[in-house]
């Protein structure tokens, strides 16, 4: 680890294949960041079980998600790529930090309220306390920066509060994490309800584009994307569907909104949707090909997981050992 570089951490949940929003908002940007920071990228399998999972499917999704990190361009030699559950330090620190987190702070978390409404038959304690585990994820690696979407800012703020509280009692144990909000697409919206964020849990199969969708499926989904009753391709109020498509096309092609408006002036929505679909399919094709190659090499994938687990454990154990001493535990 380069002591001169800042530390950056980000985790993704292995619940379903990542969608286009996950790729543009997180995964693609991670590749650019690994040269400038000490990067820790993980699969948040512990977080995923706040909602009931099929064990066989979850196991396959964890492996798929890990392979996708490499396929997206993350280098296991440059970055620490790990599975959260392979490092028990996360769970250990989470318990300690839960004793420094206030009940009232957790009760204000909007995602707890949202998920409780979605799963009224399973409002479990883990669902309530998982922001503490998220704080442990961040603080374990002394993360200076955490790439966050707008919906995760509240959780990072909690991690900062816990960090400040713990440091206030015991001295500078943890690094105060700062949000790293990318300048590219912050939110990719649903193709069927463009006022809602694209989601892994959306039951409408045409609402989300998955990063492993084949070319024909991607183009078909964009052709069915909801727009409006007008014909002009431009970014203005009331054109949520078109703005979403323009944002996606901009991210896939590198063109500005002005360029896009000029390119499609006088052209119909059908032609524009096709162009967006083709641009997205072209963008995802290299990653999809690399995913097939990496997934087929099971011994390589397993070795990467082992190496990543060892690196993650070694780095995070230094932090946990310091915490144990500070709170008064007896250590060997």
């Amino acid at each position: 680890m380069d002591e001169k570089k800042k530390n950056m951490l980000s985790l993704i949940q292995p619940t379903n294949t990542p969608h286009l929003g996950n790729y543009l908002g997180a995964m693609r940007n991670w590749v650019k960041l690994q040269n400038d920071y000490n990067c820790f990228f993980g699969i948040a399998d512990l977080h995923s079980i706040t909602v009931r999972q099929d064990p066989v499917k979850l196991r396959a999704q964890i492996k798929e998600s890990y392979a996708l990190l490499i396929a997206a361009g993350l280098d296991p030699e440059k970055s620490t790529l790990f599975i959260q559950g392979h490092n028990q330090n996360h769970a250990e620190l989470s318990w300690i930090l839960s004793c420094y987190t206030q009940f009232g702070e957790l009760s204000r978390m909007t995602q707890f309220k949202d998920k409780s409404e979605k799963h009224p038959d399973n409002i479990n304690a883990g669902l309530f306390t998982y922001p503490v585990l998220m704080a442990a994820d961040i603080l374990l690696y002394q993360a200076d920066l955490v790439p966050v979407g707008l919906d995760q800012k509240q959780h990072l703020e909690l991690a900062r509060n816990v960090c400040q509280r713990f440091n206030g009692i015991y001295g500078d144990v943890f690094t105060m994490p700062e949000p790293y909000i990318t300048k590219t697409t912050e939110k990719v919206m649903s193709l069927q309800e463009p006022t809602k964020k694209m989601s892994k849990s959306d039951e409408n199969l045409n609402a989300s584009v998955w990063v492993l969708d084949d070319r024909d499926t991607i183009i078909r989904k964009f052709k069915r994307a909801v727009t409006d009753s007008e014909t002009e391709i431009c970014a203005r109020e009331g054109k949520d569907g078109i703005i979403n498509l323009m944002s996606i096309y901009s991210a896939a092609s590198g063109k500005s909104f002005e360029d896009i408006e000029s390119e499609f002036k006088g052209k119909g929505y059908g032609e524009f949707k096709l162009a967006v679909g083709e641009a997205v399919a072209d963008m995802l094709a290299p990653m999809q090909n690399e995913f097939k190659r990496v997934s087929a090499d099971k011994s390589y994938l397993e070795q990467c997981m082992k190496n990543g687990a060892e690196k993650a454990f070694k780095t995070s154990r230094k932090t946990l050992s310091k915490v144990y001493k500070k709170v008064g535990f007896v250590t060997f």
Side-chain angles (χ1 to χ4, degrees):
M1 200 163 76
D2 190 340
E3 297 294 333
K4 296 175 185 174
K5 292 181 178 179
K6 289 185 175 182
N7 295 347
M8 177 174 284
L9 174 128
S10 192
L11 275 66
I12 56 169
Q13 285 204 36
T15 47
N16 294 327
T17 302
H19 56 59
L20 184 61
N22 301 137
Y23 178 73
L24 292 176
M27 296 170 71
R28 188 170 74 163
N29 297 309
W30 291 354
V31 178
K32 302 169 189 172
L33 300 172
Q34 64 182 346
N35 292 322
D36 301 321
Y37 302 96
N38 295 316
C39 289
F40 299 87
F41 297 122
I43 306 301
D45 53 343
L46 300 181
H47 284 289
S48 68
I49 62 169
T50 56
V51 176
R52 293 284 176 267
Q53 303 290 338
D54 174 342
V56 175
K57 186 181 177 186
L58 178 61
R59 196 171 291 116
Q61 287 172 333
I62 290 167
K63 292 176 182 177
E64 177 189 277
S65 299
Y66 191 88
L68 273 169
L69 294 184
I70 299 172
L74 294 176
D75 185 345
E77 298 298 319
K78 285 183 182 177
S79 300
T80 300
L81 310 183
F82 66 98
I83 293 171
Q84 184 190 29
H86 288 173
N87 183 2
Q88 65 265 37
N89 296 336
H90 289 258
E92 290 185 34
L93 182 60
S94 180
W95 166 249
I96 295 172
L97 294 185
S98 70
C99 299
Y100 294 84
T101 306
Q102 300 303 301
F103 185 89
E105 289 176 312
L106 292 176
S107 65
R108 288 192 291 273
M109 295 289 113
T110 54
Q111 282 206 5
F112 170 70
K113 295 170 186 173
D114 293 343
K115 287 194 174 183
S116 296
E117 288 177 9
K118 284 183 181 177
H119 305 278
D121 57 332
N122 183 27
I123 305 174
N124 57 75
L127 192 62
F128 186 70
T129 62
Y130 90 100
V132 182
L133 177 57
M134 192 177 290
D137 299 335
I138 295 165
L139 300 180
L140 260 182
Y141 298 93
Q142 303 292 355
D144 298 281
L145 296 165
V146 182
V148 289
L150 297 176
D151 59 335
Q152 292 293 343
K153 287 179 77 175
Q154 191 183 31
H155 289 146
L156 181 58
E157 199 55 47
L158 177 75
R160 286 170 56 84
N161 290 344
V162 173
C163 174
Q164 188 173 34
R165 184 174 298 131
F166 197 92
N167 285 354
I169 299 169
Y170 300 109
D172 293 332
V173 179
F174 299 121
T175 299
M176 178 64 76
E178 299 288 342
Y180 181 94
I181 299 174
T182 56
K183 296 180 179 65
T184 55
T185 314
E186 286 187 334
K187 274 191 180 182
V188 173
M189 312 308 281
S190 163
L191 297 186
Q192 293 300 306
E193 295 182 76
T195 56
K196 286 172 53 180
K197 203 173 78 157
M198 190 175 284
S199 170
K200 286 183 178 182
S201 58
D202 201 316
E203 293 178 3
N204 189 329
L205 297 178
N206 292 310
S208 303
V209 172
W210 309 105
V211 296
L212 294 178
D213 279 345
D214 61 49
R215 187 179 188 84
D216 289 344
T217 301
I218 292 170
I219 290 172
R220 184 179 71 251
K221 286 181 177 180
F222 276 104
K223 281 183 176 178
R224 294 176 178 173
V226 169
T227 51
D228 53 55
S229 58
E230 299 178 5
T231 57
E232 190 179 2
I233 296 156
C234 65
R236 68 164 179 260
E237 192 175 347
K239 297 180 75 68
D240 297 310
I242 289 296
I243 290 171
N244 186 38
L245 293 179
M246 289 177 71
S247 183
I248 292 169
Y249 188 57
S250 174
S253 67
K255 297 175 182 177
S256 68
F257 272 30
E258 291 77 13
D259 293 336
I260 296 168
E261 288 176 6
S262 176
E263 180 183 352
F264 291 95
K265 191 171 184 179
K267 295 179 181 177
Y269 284 179
E271 192 172 345
F272 177 51
K273 289 180 183 180
L274 176 62
V276 179
E278 289 178 338
V280 169
D282 289 343
M283 175 184 67
L284 294 176
M287 182 180 70
Q288 292 177 348
N289 292 333
E290 182 65 4
F291 173 76
K292 289 175 187 174
R293 186 192 71 78
V294 172
S295 298
D297 194 342
K298 290 183 171 54
S299 60
Y300 168 72
L301 201 57
E302 192 169 300
Q303 191 58 52
C304 287
M305 287 181 186
K306 286 181 179 178
N307 292 345
E310 287 171 6
K311 286 165 69 178
F313 180 86
K314 186 178 178 182
T315 300
S316 59
R317 199 67 191 181
K318 291 177 184 175
T319 300
L320 191 61
S321 295
K322 190 188 292 186
V323 169
Y324 271 26
K325 288 176 186 175
K326 291 291 187 181
V327 299
F329 291 168
V330 176
T331 57
F332 295 102

